[in-house]
Amino acid sequence: MSFEKRLAASIVQYLGDQLRSDDLTGEDKEGLEVAIQCLETVYRISSSDVHLLPSRSLVDIFKDAIKNEPIGKDTDEPVSEEDRREAEYLKTRGNDLMKVEQYKDALDSYTKAIKLDPKNAVFYCNRAAAYSKLNQHTFAIEDCRRAIEIDPNYSKAYGRMGLAYANLNNHHLARENYKKALELDPNNDSYASNLKVAEDNIAELERTNPFSTILQNPAIAQVAEGILQDPNMQNMVRDMMSNVFGSLAGGGRPGAPPGAPSGAPSGVPSGAPSGIPNLQSNFPPAGDAGSGAPPTGPGGLPTDPLSGFNLDTMMNIGQQLARQFENMNPELYDQIRRNVGGNGANPPNDNNNSNNNP
């Protein structure tokens, strides 16, 4: 019995308790139900697995863990001179630890400095460098953004965020951040060099795989975000996902013939708390998902998760996405269509990830 499964069971129990709270809206409770369903599916657990639960609740364990843990200062609270001096000392100690490649200890020092002085952009930016050295580039990006919120003209934060994006192979966003860093610090040779590397990587991606560079384009991401905020599109995606999760819960699939398990809400076991289906108990034996259903493996999950999708539904969603994309940004839509059409005959190249990351 793994630690992860026991922890997941404790989280499910806590979320189930929250569902009974009168402080949550119906939408909030729906979100918790989805979270519980996902956890139960991923970790192969159910509400009946009480043997996985520790003797104390997750809330009690957490309270004990943080009782001696000081809460960081509120960003609106003035920082005393004593705290400011201590924070500077911790930052300097973190810098020294970075020089001897003690990155985890350096990260701890920067974190303590931030707790004492949460308005200092340098502390976040330095911690971002430690995160990058530990290959935790997503956290590095988050800290760079915090630094920029405090000081929008902090060139080093843009430069380090560019490095983090480059290490995640998102060369478009790396280029945007290097450009901003160079705009704020025009004489910085490192920013200029890194910008050139990012542009070379983008050019190589466009040459070998035009579709991959389209997906990285920040303008595409902005349009996609706008599409996903559209209520009609949200309802369509929600319906599709409900169908998918429902079919997995019941062992069937979208578009399965009559008689195949549907996983509909009516199949929720009467003993399941908070109205959550016991997904594990509903899974059929391997290979027995119903007449016409795709081949299944252990737990009754399809061996090919895409085999059961209804093609008409997917085509309909794709067409609506394309129409919304064209309406929101027709120039960008035409540009993408021309690029894809003009490069479609190029053979795929698996070696399109440059190793020249700065």
Side-chain angles (χ1 to χ4, degrees), residues 158-194:
Y158 286 103
R160 284 187 174 155
M161 186 149 58
L163 283 170
Y165 276 122
N167 283 314
L168 292 173
N169 290 322
N170 193 328
H171 303 298
H172 278 89
L173 288 177
R175 178 177 64 180
E176 295 304 310
N177 281 280
Y178 290 143
K179 280 183 177 180
K180 184 63 177 180
L182 198 58
E183 176 186 320
L184 294 169
D185 188 1
N187 298 319
N188 192 304
D189 294 337
S190 177
Y191 298 157
S193 174
N194 289 346

PDB file of all heavy atoms in Angstrom, residues 158-194:
ATOM      1  N   TYR A 158      12.921  39.520 -16.396  1.00  0.00           N
ATOM      2  CA  TYR A 158      12.544  39.136 -17.757  1.00  0.00           C
ATOM      3  C   TYR A 158      13.583  38.186 -18.356  1.00  0.00           C
ATOM      4  O   TYR A 158      13.241  37.207 -19.035  1.00  0.00           O
ATOM      5  CB  TYR A 158      12.395  40.365 -18.641  1.00  0.00           C
ATOM      6  CG  TYR A 158      11.141  41.162 -18.382  1.00  0.00           C
ATOM      7  CD1 TYR A 158      11.185  42.357 -17.664  1.00  0.00           C
ATOM      8  CD2 TYR A 158       9.907  40.728 -18.863  1.00  0.00           C
ATOM      9  CE1 TYR A 158      10.034  43.096 -17.422  1.00  0.00           C
ATOM     10  CE2 TYR A 158       8.747  41.455 -18.630  1.00  0.00           C
ATOM     11  CZ  TYR A 158       8.813  42.641 -17.908  1.00  0.00           C
ATOM     12  OH  TYR A 158       7.668  43.360 -17.672  1.00  0.00           O
ATOM     13  N   GLY A 159      14.860  38.474 -18.112  1.00  0.00           N
ATOM     14  CA  GLY A 159      15.916  37.619 -18.636  1.00  0.00           C
ATOM     15  C   GLY A 159      15.840  36.211 -18.075  1.00  0.00           C
ATOM     16  O   GLY A 159      15.987  35.225 -18.808  1.00  0.00           O
ATOM     17  N   ARG A 160      15.614  36.108 -16.778  1.00  0.00           N
ATOM     18  CA  ARG A 160      15.533  34.784 -16.156  1.00  0.00           C
ATOM     19  C   ARG A 160      14.260  34.051 -16.561  1.00  0.00           C
ATOM     20  O   ARG A 160      14.254  32.821 -16.678  1.00  0.00           O
ATOM     21  CB  ARG A 160      15.637  34.907 -14.635  1.00  0.00           C
ATOM     22  CG  ARG A 160      17.069  35.180 -14.208  1.00  0.00           C
ATOM     23  CD  ARG A 160      17.289  35.152 -12.729  1.00  0.00           C
ATOM     24  NE  ARG A 160      18.726  35.279 -12.454  1.00  0.00           N
ATOM     25  CZ  ARG A 160      19.234  35.749 -11.338  1.00  0.00           C
ATOM     26  NH1 ARG A 160      18.426  36.130 -10.354  1.00  0.00           N
ATOM     27  NH2 ARG A 160      20.536  35.835 -11.173  1.00  0.00           N
ATOM     28  N   MET A 161      13.184  34.787 -16.773  1.00  0.00           N
ATOM     29  CA  MET A 161      11.977  34.136 -17.254  1.00  0.00           C
ATOM     30  C   MET A 161      12.193  33.624 -18.682  1.00  0.00           C
ATOM     31  O   MET A 161      11.709  32.545 -19.035  1.00  0.00           O
ATOM     32  CB  MET A 161      10.787  35.107 -17.212  1.00  0.00           C
ATOM     33  CG  MET A 161       9.468  34.447 -17.555  1.00  0.00           C
ATOM     34  SD  MET A 161       8.019  35.153 -16.729  1.00  0.00           S
ATOM     35  CE  MET A 161       8.102  36.856 -17.270  1.00  0.00           C
ATOM     36  N   GLY A 162      12.952  34.359 -19.475  1.00  0.00           N
ATOM     37  CA  GLY A 162      13.291  33.879 -20.811  1.00  0.00           C
ATOM     38  C   GLY A 162      14.081  32.589 -20.752  1.00  0.00           C
ATOM     39  O   GLY A 162      13.836  31.656 -21.526  1.00  0.00           O
ATOM     40  N   LEU A 163      15.033  32.500 -19.829  1.00  0.00           N
ATOM     41  CA  LEU A 163      15.814  31.275 -19.668  1.00  0.00           C
ATOM     42  C   LEU A 163      14.922  30.096 -19.281  1.00  0.00           C
ATOM     43  O   LEU A 163      15.088  28.982 -19.791  1.00  0.00           O
ATOM     44  CB  LEU A 163      16.884  31.472 -18.598  1.00  0.00           C
ATOM     45  CG  LEU A 163      18.132  32.264 -18.984  1.00  0.00           C
ATOM     46  CD1 LEU A 163      18.966  32.566 -17.744  1.00  0.00           C
ATOM     47  CD2 LEU A 163      18.971  31.482 -19.988  1.00  0.00           C
ATOM     48  N   ALA A 164      13.988  30.350 -18.380  1.00  0.00           N
ATOM     49  CA  ALA A 164      13.093  29.277 -17.933  1.00  0.00           C
ATOM     50  C   ALA A 164      12.236  28.779 -19.093  1.00  0.00           C
ATOM     51  O   ALA A 164      12.074  27.567 -19.288  1.00  0.00           O
ATOM     52  CB  ALA A 164      12.216  29.758 -16.779  1.00  0.00           C
ATOM     53  N   TYR A 165      11.697  29.704 -19.874  1.00  0.00           N
ATOM     54  CA  TYR A 165      10.894  29.294 -21.030  1.00  0.00           C
ATOM     55  C   TYR A 165      11.739  28.547 -22.055  1.00  0.00           C
ATOM     56  O   TYR A 165      11.286  27.581 -22.682  1.00  0.00           O
ATOM     57  CB  TYR A 165      10.222  30.502 -21.679  1.00  0.00           C
ATOM     58  CG  TYR A 165       8.928  30.913 -21.025  1.00  0.00           C
ATOM     59  CD1 TYR A 165       8.760  32.196 -20.501  1.00  0.00           C
ATOM     60  CD2 TYR A 165       7.862  30.026 -20.938  1.00  0.00           C
ATOM     61  CE1 TYR A 165       7.563  32.577 -19.905  1.00  0.00           C
ATOM     62  CE2 TYR A 165       6.663  30.394 -20.347  1.00  0.00           C
ATOM     63  CZ  TYR A 165       6.525  31.672 -19.836  1.00  0.00           C
ATOM     64  OH  TYR A 165       5.333  32.036 -19.252  1.00  0.00           O
ATOM     65  N   ALA A 166      12.975  28.993 -22.240  1.00  0.00           N
ATOM     66  CA  ALA A 166      13.867  28.310 -23.181  1.00  0.00           C
ATOM     67  C   ALA A 166      14.118  26.875 -22.723  1.00  0.00           C
ATOM     68  O   ALA A 166      14.135  25.940 -23.540  1.00  0.00           O
ATOM     69  CB  ALA A 166      15.181  29.071 -23.307  1.00  0.00           C
ATOM     70  N   ASN A 167      14.298  26.681 -21.431  1.00  0.00           N
ATOM     71  CA  ASN A 167      14.528  25.333 -20.908  1.00  0.00           C
ATOM     72  C   ASN A 167      13.290  24.449 -21.024  1.00  0.00           C
ATOM     73  O   ASN A 167      13.391  23.224 -20.994  1.00  0.00           O
ATOM     74  CB  ASN A 167      14.974  25.404 -19.446  1.00  0.00           C
ATOM     75  CG  ASN A 167      16.426  25.805 -19.319  1.00  0.00           C
ATOM     76  OD1 ASN A 167      17.288  25.285 -20.019  1.00  0.00           O
ATOM     77  ND2 ASN A 167      16.720  26.743 -18.428  1.00  0.00           N
ATOM     78  N   LEU A 168      12.119  25.095 -21.158  1.00  0.00           N
ATOM     79  CA  LEU A 168      10.877  24.345 -21.396  1.00  0.00           C
ATOM     80  C   LEU A 168      10.582  24.234 -22.890  1.00  0.00           C
ATOM     81  O   LEU A 168       9.510  23.773 -23.284  1.00  0.00           O
ATOM     82  CB  LEU A 168       9.705  25.038 -20.691  1.00  0.00           C
ATOM     83  CG  LEU A 168       9.728  25.023 -19.157  1.00  0.00           C
ATOM     84  CD1 LEU A 168       8.611  25.894 -18.594  1.00  0.00           C
ATOM     85  CD2 LEU A 168       9.606  23.606 -18.617  1.00  0.00           C
ATOM     86  N   ASN A 169      11.546  24.676 -23.715  1.00  0.00           N
ATOM     87  CA  ASN A 169      11.422  24.625 -25.178  1.00  0.00           C
ATOM     88  C   ASN A 169      10.276  25.476 -25.710  1.00  0.00           C
ATOM     89  O   ASN A 169       9.747  25.207 -26.795  1.00  0.00           O
ATOM     90  CB  ASN A 169      11.263  23.181 -25.667  1.00  0.00           C
ATOM     91  CG  ASN A 169      12.536  22.376 -25.514  1.00  0.00           C
ATOM     92  OD1 ASN A 169      13.634  22.896 -25.729  1.00  0.00           O
ATOM     93  ND2 ASN A 169      12.420  21.119 -25.142  1.00  0.00           N
ATOM     94  N   ASN A 170       9.890  26.499 -24.959  1.00  0.00           N
ATOM     95  CA  ASN A 170       8.900  27.455 -25.450  1.00  0.00           C
ATOM     96  C   ASN A 170       9.668  28.686 -25.926  1.00  0.00           C
ATOM     97  O   ASN A 170       9.811  29.683 -25.212  1.00  0.00           O
ATOM     98  CB  ASN A 170       7.902  27.823 -24.345  1.00  0.00           C
ATOM     99  CG  ASN A 170       6.697  28.553 -24.902  1.00  0.00           C
ATOM    100  OD1 ASN A 170       6.792  29.283 -25.888  1.00  0.00           O
ATOM    101  ND2 ASN A 170       5.547  28.361 -24.282  1.00  0.00           N
ATOM    102  N   HIS A 171      10.159  28.595 -27.152  1.00  0.00           N
ATOM    103  CA  HIS A 171      11.096  29.604 -27.634  1.00  0.00           C
ATOM    104  C   HIS A 171      10.412  30.925 -27.999  1.00  0.00           C
ATOM    105  O   HIS A 171      11.059  31.972 -27.977  1.00  0.00           O
ATOM    106  CB  HIS A 171      11.874  29.045 -28.827  1.00  0.00           C
ATOM    107  CG  HIS A 171      12.600  27.773 -28.505  1.00  0.00           C
ATOM    108  ND1 HIS A 171      13.597  27.713 -27.551  1.00  0.00           N
ATOM    109  CD2 HIS A 171      12.447  26.501 -28.972  1.00  0.00           C
ATOM    110  CE1 HIS A 171      14.046  26.469 -27.467  1.00  0.00           C
ATOM    111  NE2 HIS A 171      13.362  25.721 -28.299  1.00  0.00           N
ATOM    112  N   HIS A 172       9.125  30.884 -28.319  1.00  0.00           N
ATOM    113  CA  HIS A 172       8.415  32.137 -28.596  1.00  0.00           C
ATOM    114  C   HIS A 172       8.337  33.009 -27.345  1.00  0.00           C
ATOM    115  O   HIS A 172       8.634  34.212 -27.385  1.00  0.00           O
ATOM    116  CB  HIS A 172       7.011  31.850 -29.122  1.00  0.00           C
ATOM    117  CG  HIS A 172       6.960  31.534 -30.585  1.00  0.00           C
ATOM    118  ND1 HIS A 172       7.102  30.268 -31.067  1.00  0.00           N
ATOM    119  CD2 HIS A 172       6.808  32.346 -31.676  1.00  0.00           C
ATOM    120  CE1 HIS A 172       7.025  30.289 -32.387  1.00  0.00           C
ATOM    121  NE2 HIS A 172       6.843  31.539 -32.778  1.00  0.00           N
ATOM    122  N   LEU A 173       7.926  32.414 -26.219  1.00  0.00           N
ATOM    123  CA  LEU A 173       7.854  33.196 -24.982  1.00  0.00           C
ATOM    124  C   LEU A 173       9.246  33.551 -24.471  1.00  0.00           C
ATOM    125  O   LEU A 173       9.437  34.604 -23.859  1.00  0.00           O
ATOM    126  CB  LEU A 173       7.061  32.428 -23.926  1.00  0.00           C
ATOM    127  CG  LEU A 173       5.556  32.339 -24.187  1.00  0.00           C
ATOM    128  CD1 LEU A 173       4.862  31.501 -23.116  1.00  0.00           C
ATOM    129  CD2 LEU A 173       4.936  33.733 -24.234  1.00  0.00           C
ATOM    130  N   ALA A 174      10.227  32.687 -24.727  1.00  0.00           N
ATOM    131  CA  ALA A 174      11.605  33.030 -24.370  1.00  0.00           C
ATOM    132  C   ALA A 174      12.024  34.278 -25.134  1.00  0.00           C
ATOM    133  O   ALA A 174      12.602  35.212 -24.565  1.00  0.00           O
ATOM    134  CB  ALA A 174      12.534  31.865 -24.688  1.00  0.00           C
ATOM    135  N   ARG A 175      11.720  34.311 -26.430  1.00  0.00           N
ATOM    136  CA  ARG A 175      12.086  35.476 -27.247  1.00  0.00           C
ATOM    137  C   ARG A 175      11.405  36.742 -26.748  1.00  0.00           C
ATOM    138  O   ARG A 175      12.054  37.808 -26.654  1.00  0.00           O
ATOM    139  CB  ARG A 175      11.690  35.220 -28.712  1.00  0.00           C
ATOM    140  CG  ARG A 175      11.996  36.398 -29.635  1.00  0.00           C
ATOM    141  CD  ARG A 175      11.659  36.090 -31.078  1.00  0.00           C
ATOM    142  NE  ARG A 175      10.230  35.857 -31.260  1.00  0.00           N
ATOM    143  CZ  ARG A 175       9.684  35.558 -32.439  1.00  0.00           C
ATOM    144  NH1 ARG A 175      10.455  35.435 -33.515  1.00  0.00           N
ATOM    145  NH2 ARG A 175       8.388  35.360 -32.538  1.00  0.00           N
ATOM    146  N   GLU A 176      10.107  36.643 -26.416  1.00  0.00           N
ATOM    147  CA  GLU A 176       9.397  37.838 -25.937  1.00  0.00           C
ATOM    148  C   GLU A 176      10.041  38.394 -24.675  1.00  0.00           C
ATOM    149  O   GLU A 176      10.181  39.625 -24.518  1.00  0.00           O
ATOM    150  CB  GLU A 176       7.932  37.495 -25.676  1.00  0.00           C
ATOM    151  CG  GLU A 176       7.132  37.111 -26.908  1.00  0.00           C
ATOM    152  CD  GLU A 176       7.172  38.191 -27.973  1.00  0.00           C
ATOM    153  OE1 GLU A 176       6.914  39.358 -27.628  1.00  0.00           O
ATOM    154  OE2 GLU A 176       7.469  37.873 -29.141  1.00  0.00           O
ATOM    155  N   ASN A 177      10.444  37.518 -23.767  1.00  0.00           N
ATOM    156  CA  ASN A 177      11.046  37.984 -22.518  1.00  0.00           C
ATOM    157  C   ASN A 177      12.455  38.527 -22.723  1.00  0.00           C
ATOM    158  O   ASN A 177      12.855  39.502 -22.085  1.00  0.00           O
ATOM    159  CB  ASN A 177      11.053  36.854 -21.492  1.00  0.00           C
ATOM    160  CG  ASN A 177       9.696  36.672 -20.833  1.00  0.00           C
ATOM    161  OD1 ASN A 177       9.328  37.408 -19.922  1.00  0.00           O
ATOM    162  ND2 ASN A 177       8.922  35.708 -21.310  1.00  0.00           N
ATOM    163  N   TYR A 178      13.233  37.905 -23.619  1.00  0.00           N
ATOM    164  CA  TYR A 178      14.566  38.435 -23.916  1.00  0.00           C
ATOM    165  C   TYR A 178      14.461  39.816 -24.559  1.00  0.00           C
ATOM    166  O   TYR A 178      15.273  40.715 -24.283  1.00  0.00           O
ATOM    167  CB  TYR A 178      15.316  37.496 -24.856  1.00  0.00           C
ATOM    168  CG  TYR A 178      15.736  36.184 -24.231  1.00  0.00           C
ATOM    169  CD1 TYR A 178      15.711  35.004 -24.968  1.00  0.00           C
ATOM    170  CD2 TYR A 178      16.158  36.113 -22.906  1.00  0.00           C
ATOM    171  CE1 TYR A 178      16.084  33.799 -24.411  1.00  0.00           C
ATOM    172  CE2 TYR A 178      16.535  34.902 -22.337  1.00  0.00           C
ATOM    173  CZ  TYR A 178      16.503  33.749 -23.103  1.00  0.00           C
ATOM    174  OH  TYR A 178      16.886  32.560 -22.551  1.00  0.00           O
ATOM    175  N   LYS A 179      13.465  39.989 -25.438  1.00  0.00           N
ATOM    176  CA  LYS A 179      13.273  41.304 -26.066  1.00  0.00           C
ATOM    177  C   LYS A 179      12.991  42.370 -25.016  1.00  0.00           C
ATOM    178  O   LYS A 179      13.537  43.483 -25.073  1.00  0.00           O
ATOM    179  CB  LYS A 179      12.101  41.236 -27.053  1.00  0.00           C
ATOM    180  CG  LYS A 179      12.444  40.622 -28.397  1.00  0.00           C
ATOM    181  CD  LYS A 179      11.227  40.682 -29.320  1.00  0.00           C
ATOM    182  CE  LYS A 179      11.550  40.139 -30.701  1.00  0.00           C
ATOM    183  NZ  LYS A 179      10.371  40.184 -31.599  1.00  0.00           N
ATOM    184  N   LYS A 180      12.118  42.035 -24.069  1.00  0.00           N
ATOM    185  CA  LYS A 180      11.773  43.002 -23.019  1.00  0.00           C
ATOM    186  C   LYS A 180      12.992  43.291 -22.136  1.00  0.00           C
ATOM    187  O   LYS A 180      13.245  44.453 -21.770  1.00  0.00           O
ATOM    188  CB  LYS A 180      10.624  42.458 -22.170  1.00  0.00           C
ATOM    189  CG  LYS A 180      10.125  43.426 -21.108  1.00  0.00           C
ATOM    190  CD  LYS A 180       9.536  44.686 -21.721  1.00  0.00           C
ATOM    191  CE  LYS A 180       8.970  45.611 -20.648  1.00  0.00           C
ATOM    192  NZ  LYS A 180       8.405  46.842 -21.224  1.00  0.00           N
ATOM    193  N   ALA A 181      13.749  42.238 -21.811  1.00  0.00           N
ATOM    194  CA  ALA A 181      14.948  42.433 -20.993  1.00  0.00           C
ATOM    195  C   ALA A 181      15.942  43.333 -21.709  1.00  0.00           C
ATOM    196  O   ALA A 181      16.547  44.231 -21.097  1.00  0.00           O
ATOM    197  CB  ALA A 181      15.585  41.080 -20.677  1.00  0.00           C
ATOM    198  N   LEU A 182      16.109  43.122 -23.024  1.00  0.00           N
ATOM    199  CA  LEU A 182      17.058  43.927 -23.795  1.00  0.00           C
ATOM    200  C   LEU A 182      16.562  45.356 -23.969  1.00  0.00           C
ATOM    201  O   LEU A 182      17.361  46.307 -23.998  1.00  0.00           O
ATOM    202  CB  LEU A 182      17.276  43.275 -25.163  1.00  0.00           C
ATOM    203  CG  LEU A 182      18.519  43.689 -25.944  1.00  0.00           C
ATOM    204  CD1 LEU A 182      19.785  43.423 -25.143  1.00  0.00           C
ATOM    205  CD2 LEU A 182      18.573  42.951 -27.288  1.00  0.00           C
ATOM    206  N   GLU A 183      15.256  45.518 -24.053  1.00  0.00           N
ATOM    207  CA  GLU A 183      14.677  46.862 -24.131  1.00  0.00           C
ATOM    208  C   GLU A 183      14.990  47.653 -22.853  1.00  0.00           C
ATOM    209  O   GLU A 183      15.270  48.864 -22.918  1.00  0.00           O
ATOM    210  CB  GLU A 183      13.168  46.732 -24.330  1.00  0.00           C
ATOM    211  CG  GLU A 183      12.408  48.041 -24.343  1.00  0.00           C
ATOM    212  CD  GLU A 183      10.899  47.822 -24.392  1.00  0.00           C
ATOM    213  OE1 GLU A 183      10.468  46.917 -25.122  1.00  0.00           O
ATOM    214  OE2 GLU A 183      10.173  48.542 -23.665  1.00  0.00           O
ATOM    215  N   LEU A 184      14.941  46.982 -21.710  1.00  0.00           N
ATOM    216  CA  LEU A 184      15.209  47.648 -20.433  1.00  0.00           C
ATOM    217  C   LEU A 184      16.705  47.794 -20.161  1.00  0.00           C
ATOM    218  O   LEU A 184      17.114  48.678 -19.416  1.00  0.00           O
ATOM    219  CB  LEU A 184      14.559  46.846 -19.290  1.00  0.00           C
ATOM    220  CG  LEU A 184      13.031  46.801 -19.306  1.00  0.00           C
ATOM    221  CD1 LEU A 184      12.511  45.778 -18.300  1.00  0.00           C
ATOM    222  CD2 LEU A 184      12.455  48.187 -18.989  1.00  0.00           C
ATOM    223  N   ASP A 185      17.507  46.910 -20.753  1.00  0.00           N
ATOM    224  CA  ASP A 185      18.962  46.940 -20.538  1.00  0.00           C
ATOM    225  C   ASP A 185      19.654  46.705 -21.885  1.00  0.00           C
ATOM    226  O   ASP A 185      20.154  45.609 -22.168  1.00  0.00           O
ATOM    227  CB  ASP A 185      19.352  45.860 -19.526  1.00  0.00           C
ATOM    228  CG  ASP A 185      20.811  45.948 -19.104  1.00  0.00           C
ATOM    229  OD1 ASP A 185      21.522  46.860 -19.592  1.00  0.00           O
ATOM    230  OD2 ASP A 185      21.253  45.108 -18.295  1.00  0.00           O
ATOM    231  N   PRO A 186      19.695  47.744 -22.743  1.00  0.00           N
ATOM    232  CA  PRO A 186      20.153  47.568 -24.129  1.00  0.00           C
ATOM    233  C   PRO A 186      21.615  47.138 -24.256  1.00  0.00           C
ATOM    234  O   PRO A 186      22.003  46.607 -25.307  1.00  0.00           O
ATOM    235  CB  PRO A 186      19.947  48.958 -24.746  1.00  0.00           C
ATOM    236  CG  PRO A 186      19.029  49.684 -23.823  1.00  0.00           C
ATOM    237  CD  PRO A 186      19.273  49.128 -22.463  1.00  0.00           C
ATOM    238  N   ASN A 187      22.423  47.356 -23.253  1.00  0.00           N
ATOM    239  CA  ASN A 187      23.852  47.044 -23.349  1.00  0.00           C
ATOM    240  C   ASN A 187      24.204  45.671 -22.786  1.00  0.00           C
ATOM    241  O   ASN A 187      25.389  45.345 -22.660  1.00  0.00           O
ATOM    242  CB  ASN A 187      24.667  48.123 -22.629  1.00  0.00           C
ATOM    243  CG  ASN A 187      24.484  49.494 -23.244  1.00  0.00           C
ATOM    244  OD1 ASN A 187      24.436  49.629 -24.461  1.00  0.00           O
ATOM    245  ND2 ASN A 187      24.363  50.531 -22.401  1.00  0.00           N
ATOM    246  N   ASN A 188      23.198  44.879 -22.456  1.00  0.00           N
ATOM    247  CA  ASN A 188      23.455  43.567 -21.868  1.00  0.00           C
ATOM    248  C   ASN A 188      23.702  42.549 -22.982  1.00  0.00           C
ATOM    249  O   ASN A 188      22.786  42.161 -23.702  1.00  0.00           O
ATOM    250  CB  ASN A 188      22.272  43.151 -20.998  1.00  0.00           C
ATOM    251  CG  ASN A 188      22.571  41.942 -20.136  1.00  0.00           C
ATOM    252  OD1 ASN A 188      22.955  40.901 -20.637  1.00  0.00           O
ATOM    253  ND2 ASN A 188      22.380  42.083 -18.825  1.00  0.00           N
ATOM    254  N   ASP A 189      24.956  42.129 -23.122  1.00  0.00           N
ATOM    255  CA  ASP A 189      25.314  41.183 -24.187  1.00  0.00           C
ATOM    256  C   ASP A 189      24.655  39.821 -23.994  1.00  0.00           C
ATOM    257  O   ASP A 189      24.359  39.120 -24.971  1.00  0.00           O
ATOM    258  CB  ASP A 189      26.839  41.018 -24.243  1.00  0.00           C
ATOM    259  CG  ASP A 189      27.540  42.288 -24.678  1.00  0.00           C
ATOM    260  OD1 ASP A 189      26.888  43.123 -25.340  1.00  0.00           O
ATOM    261  OD2 ASP A 189      28.735  42.457 -24.354  1.00  0.00           O
ATOM    262  N   SER A 190      24.457  39.422 -22.754  1.00  0.00           N
ATOM    263  CA  SER A 190      23.848  38.120 -22.486  1.00  0.00           C
ATOM    264  C   SER A 190      22.418  38.059 -23.015  1.00  0.00           C
ATOM    265  O   SER A 190      22.018  37.060 -23.639  1.00  0.00           O
ATOM    266  CB  SER A 190      23.857  37.824 -20.981  1.00  0.00           C
ATOM    267  OG  SER A 190      23.209  36.605 -20.700  1.00  0.00           O
ATOM    268  N   TYR A 191      21.644  39.134 -22.803  1.00  0.00           N
ATOM    269  CA  TYR A 191      20.279  39.163 -23.305  1.00  0.00           C
ATOM    270  C   TYR A 191      20.270  39.113 -24.833  1.00  0.00           C
ATOM    271  O   TYR A 191      19.455  38.408 -25.444  1.00  0.00           O
ATOM    272  CB  TYR A 191      19.545  40.419 -22.835  1.00  0.00           C
ATOM    273  CG  TYR A 191      19.395  40.537 -21.336  1.00  0.00           C
ATOM    274  CD1 TYR A 191      19.197  41.782 -20.730  1.00  0.00           C
ATOM    275  CD2 TYR A 191      19.434  39.420 -20.511  1.00  0.00           C
ATOM    276  CE1 TYR A 191      19.053  41.909 -19.366  1.00  0.00           C
ATOM    277  CE2 TYR A 191      19.290  39.532 -19.141  1.00  0.00           C
ATOM    278  CZ  TYR A 191      19.109  40.781 -18.563  1.00  0.00           C
ATOM    279  OH  TYR A 191      18.978  40.905 -17.204  1.00  0.00           O
ATOM    280  N   ALA A 192      21.178  39.857 -25.451  1.00  0.00           N
ATOM    281  CA  ALA A 192      21.243  39.872 -26.916  1.00  0.00           C
ATOM    282  C   ALA A 192      21.609  38.495 -27.460  1.00  0.00           C
ATOM    283  O   ALA A 192      21.035  38.020 -28.453  1.00  0.00           O
ATOM    284  CB  ALA A 192      22.262  40.909 -27.375  1.00  0.00           C
ATOM    285  N   SER A 193      22.555  37.838 -26.800  1.00  0.00           N
ATOM    286  CA  SER A 193      22.961  36.508 -27.232  1.00  0.00           C
ATOM    287  C   SER A 193      21.828  35.497 -27.081  1.00  0.00           C
ATOM    288  O   SER A 193      21.566  34.685 -27.981  1.00  0.00           O
ATOM    289  CB  SER A 193      24.187  36.057 -26.430  1.00  0.00           C
ATOM    290  OG  SER A 193      24.534  34.724 -26.718  1.00  0.00           O
ATOM    291  N   ASN A 194      21.152  35.547 -25.944  1.00  0.00           N
ATOM    292  CA  ASN A 194      20.049  34.618 -25.703  1.00  0.00           C
ATOM    293  C   ASN A 194      18.881  34.872 -26.661  1.00  0.00           C
ATOM    294  O   ASN A 194      18.203  33.928 -27.090  1.00  0.00           O
ATOM    295  CB  ASN A 194      19.569  34.723 -24.260  1.00  0.00           C
ATOM    296  CG  ASN A 194      20.574  34.150 -23.275  1.00  0.00           C
ATOM    297  OD1 ASN A 194      21.503  33.456 -23.669  1.00  0.00           O
ATOM    298  ND2 ASN A 194      20.399  34.458 -22.002  1.00  0.00           N
TER     299      ASN A 194
END
